[in-house]
């Protein structure tokens, strides 16, 4: 018997390659403008900015392979990203120690209601309405570090209906994985179950119903999400 006054909400989790066990999700930290070419395409100078993060909700994770076109928008964009999954955490973690906290890596899409995000930017309001909506974080299974090692270089790309739209290399990240973990841990108690979406290369753009988004990251493989 539980001692909750309502039914306990289900715990969100991700599948793990080669295992029946699942990875429970706590928080999702997302870095903005982490590839210079993408910062430039969004109208920013990549050289002048400290890193910044926003969050999605664990409940926004979706592994169904479908992305329902969301309400209240006419401009939903794809952002193909590498997902970093943490097995432990803490505060004030050094860059040298940061990778010890990584459980594994996966593929993810930071789906964005760009029109609503643009309004929020213009009016100085929070980004949640553009970023943290239902099923806005399609993800693949996680690949444990024991299988894929640590990924600091390699192709990251997204095709839509077979046509390449986004392409970059993990080595183009302005803030590397150990730097992101260390930076976040100065502001938050990061912990087991946390995910970091590590930013998107250039080439973001809109999707429409029926589009098939196929993401790939060298060393992890690929995943496919259909807009429905
Ligand atoms: Mn993003």
């Amino acid at each position: 018997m539980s001692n909750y006054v309502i039914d306990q909400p289900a715990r969100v989790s991700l599948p793990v390659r080669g295992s029946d066990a699942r990875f429970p999700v706590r928080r999702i930290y997302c870095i903005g403008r982490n590839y210079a070419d993408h910062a430039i395409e969004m109208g920013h100078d990549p050289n002048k900015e400290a890193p910044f993060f926003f969050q999605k909700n664990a409940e926004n994770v979706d592994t169904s392979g479908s992305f329902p076109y969301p309400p209240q928008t006419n401009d939903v964009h794809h952002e193909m990203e590498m997902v970093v999954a943490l097995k432990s955490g803490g505060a004030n973690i050094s860059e040298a120690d940061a990778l010890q906290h990584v459980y594994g890596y996966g593929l993810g899409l930071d789906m964005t209601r760009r029109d609503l995000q643009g309004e929020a930017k213009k009016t100085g309001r929070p980004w949640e309405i553009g970023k943290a909506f239902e099923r806005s974080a399609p993800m693949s299974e996680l690949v444990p570090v024991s299988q894929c090692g640590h990924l600091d270089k390699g192709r990251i790309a997204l095709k839509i209906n077979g046509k390449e739209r986004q392409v970059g290399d993990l080595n183009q990240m302005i803030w590397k994985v150990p730097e992101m973990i260390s930076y976040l841990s100065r502001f938050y108690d990061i912990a087991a179950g946390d995910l970091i979406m590590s930013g998107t290369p250039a080439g973001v753009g809109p999707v429409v119903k029926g589009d098939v988004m196929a993401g790939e990251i060298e060393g992890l493989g690929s995943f496919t999400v259909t807009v429905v």
Side-chain angles (χ1 to χ4, degrees), residues 101-191:
H101 298 284
V102 177
Y103 172 77
Y105 298 90
L107 300 90
L109 282 160
D110 168 16
M111 299 305 294
T112 302
R113 292 194 280 213
R114 192 72 77 201
D115 43 1
L116 299 188
Q117 185 200 25
E119 279 297 310
K121 285 182 184 174
K122 222 170 10 185
T123 53
R125 292 175 183 158
W127 284 14
E128 272 88 348
I129 203 163
K131 287 289 195 180
F133 55 92
E134 312 320 319
R135 301 175 72 172
S136 61
M139 289 184 188
S140 73
E141 64 185 0
L142 292 177
V143 184
V145 168
S146 57
Q147 292 178 40
C148 64
H150 288 290
L151 301 178
D152 57 5
K153 60 180 186 303
R155 178 182 158 84
I156 175 169
L158 183 78
K159 286 180 182 164
I160 304 217
N161 305 325
K163 199 175 159 197
E164 194 164 88
R165 292 283 190 85
Q166 288 194 259
V167 65
D169 193 293
L170 298 175
N171 68 13
Q172 295 166 341
M173 282 196 252
I174 297 168
W175 300 90
K176 312 298 184 193
V177 173
E179 293 171 319
M180 286 189 276
I181 292 170
S182 177
Y183 188 88
L184 281 167
S185 76
R186 291 161 51 194
F187 295 87
Y188 302 101
D189 290 340
I190 60 172

Side-chain angles (χ1 to χ4, degrees), residues 30-33 38 54 56 79-81 109-112 114 131 197-200:
C30 310
I31 192 168
R33 298 169 204 150
H38 173 62
F54 58 91
K56 293 197 185 228
E79 295 190 0
M80 176 62 203
E81 313 205 357
L109 282 160
D110 168 16
M111 299 305 294
T112 302
R114 192 72 77 201
K131 287 289 195 180
M197 299 192 77
S198 57
T200 197

Side-chain angles (χ1 to χ4, degrees), residues 57-101:
N57 302 299
E59 290 75 13
N60 301 149
V61 168
D62 191 299
T63 56
S64 69
S66 294
F67 172 73
Y69 200 93
Q72 304 292 338
T73 179
N74 295 304
D75 194 26
V76 174
H77 280 206
H78 53 80
E79 295 190 0
M80 176 62 203
E81 313 205 357
M82 183 172 75
V83 176
V84 184
L86 302 185
K87 64 182 178 187
S88 53
N92 299 312
I93 296 166
S94 70
E95 288 175 25
D97 290 339
L99 289 179
Q100 296 171 18
H101 298 284

